[in-house]
Each structure stands twice: as C-alpha cells, then as structure tokens.
Amino acid sequence: MENYNKAIMDYLSTYPDIKTFPFFNFSTESIGNTSIATNYGATWVKRYQRNHGVKAYDFAIIYMGKQDSGTSDINANEMFNAEKFMLWIEEQNKNKNFPVFDGAKVLSIENLQNQPNFAGVSEAGNVAKYMMQIRVLYYV
C-alpha cells in the first residue's frame, strides 16, 4: 500500500502562499497554520474486475487566519486568502499538475465546494478557522 497521505503533504507544500509546513490530522489555533484533515478515503468511484478502477482520496484543508469582531476588513481578507488556495487547486487541475501517487495514475484534483467554510473562532476570539474540501481521483 502506498502512502498517499505523504504524497498530499508534499504536494500541498508547493503552494506558494503556504506559511508553515502543513500539519496532518492535527490543528493548532495559530494564525497562518495550515492542516490537512483526512476524510474516509480510498473509496471506489468506478470499480472494474480484478480491483482496478477509479478511487477518490478526499481531504480537507484547514487554514487558521486572523479574526476581528469589529468592522475592519480583516475577515474578508482572510476569507480571500483561503479562496486563493482554492483557485490554486483549480489551476493545478487545469494544468494537470497533480500529486504523485506511486502505483496509481492521478486523474484530477478538484475542490468539492465553491468557497471555503467559515468553521469557527478560537476561544480567545482572535483566530478564525476556514475549511475547504478537496478530492483527488486516481486510477489503480
């Protein structure tokens, strides 16, 4: 079995605006941190004989940004930072720049939503959590 989790970490580390090495299935409330959170994965999309076909590897990106309870534009700017990541994913898919899955052929990487989710605020009220769902389709 190949380590697709590591392949995703390596791939997302190439995002030009990433501020820290991406955490994996762990998140902190520090501004600028990015985390990868796995969903139930390796599900069959199309299954052919002899265990060949198309599978999906789904995951979420969690981005921690500044939070302002006032009337500044900080929240809008942080949402835009998360949206820029989604635009990067779209560009990578269009250019067929995919993660490398040993033993499989990656077919696509795509956003599963049209904008990030606002997923909460830290207890102190100064850090916001934004979350985006992504899918990698691959042939085995």
Side-chain angles (χ1 to χ4, degrees), residues 67 75 79 116-121 127-131:
Q67 167 66 21
N75 298 344
M79 177 64 89
N117 290 350
F118 176 71
V121 177
V127 181
K129 180 192 282 188
Y130 299 93
M131 195 162 55

Side-chain angles (χ1 to χ4, degrees), residues 105-133:
K105 179 183 179 187
V106 175
L107 305 171
S108 67
I109 185 166
E110 56 194 21
N111 295 303
L112 294 178
Q113 56 198 81
N114 64 351
Q115 65 179 343
N117 290 350
F118 176 71
V121 177
S122 66
E123 192 172 314
N126 62 339
V127 181
K129 180 192 282 188
Y130 299 93
M131 195 162 55
M132 300 144 280
Q133 302 286 326

Side-chain angles (χ1 to χ4, degrees), residues 78-140:
E78 290 296 340
M79 177 64 89
F80 180 66
N81 287 335
E83 289 170 349
K84 286 192 306 187
F85 178 80
M86 294 179 73
L87 292 172
W88 181 78
I89 291 291
E90 287 177 12
E91 181 180 324
Q92 301 315 298
N93 191 54
K94 183 178 85 174
N95 294 333
K96 299 192 182 310
N97 181 23
F98 302 133
V100 176
F101 281 13
D102 290 336
K105 179 183 179 187
V106 175
L107 305 171
S108 67
I109 185 166
E110 56 194 21
N111 295 303
L112 294 178
Q113 56 198 81
N114 64 351
Q115 65 179 343
N117 290 350
F118 176 71
V121 177
S122 66
E123 192 172 314
N126 62 339
V127 181
K129 180 192 282 188
Y130 299 93
M131 195 162 55
M132 300 144 280
Q133 302 286 326
I134 299 169
R135 171 172 286 159
V136 175
L137 290 177
Y138 61 99
Y139 179 82
V140 292

Side-chain angles (χ1 to χ4, degrees), residues 12-112:
L12 295 177
S13 294
T14 67
Y15 175 59
D17 290 337
I18 198 162
K19 294 175 177 48
T20 64
F21 185 79
F23 292 96
F24 191 84
N25 284 342
F26 175 78
S27 182
T28 68
E29 291 185 349
S30 297
I31 293 170
N33 279 356
T34 303
S35 302
I36 302 163
T38 55
N39 295 344
Y40 299 110
T43 56
W44 289 102
V45 176
K46 292 180 184 176
R47 191 171 188 171
Y48 306 117
Q49 293 179 346
R50 299 184 183 135
N51 277 340
H52 289 284
V54 178
K55 285 186 166 186
Y57 178 101
D58 295 345
F59 62 97
I61 295 296
I62 300 168
Y63 166 70
M64 305 306 265
K66 296 177 194 169
Q67 167 66 21
D68 179 26
S69 60
T71 58
S72 75
D73 58 358
I74 288 173
N75 298 344
N77 289 336
E78 290 296 340
M79 177 64 89
F80 180 66
N81 287 335
E83 289 170 349
K84 286 192 306 187
F85 178 80
M86 294 179 73
L87 292 172
W88 181 78
I89 291 291
E90 287 177 12
E91 181 180 324
Q92 301 315 298
N93 191 54
K94 183 178 85 174
N95 294 333
K96 299 192 182 310
N97 181 23
F98 302 133
V100 176
F101 281 13
D102 290 336
K105 179 183 179 187
V106 175
L107 305 171
S108 67
I109 185 166
E110 56 194 21
N111 295 303
L112 294 178

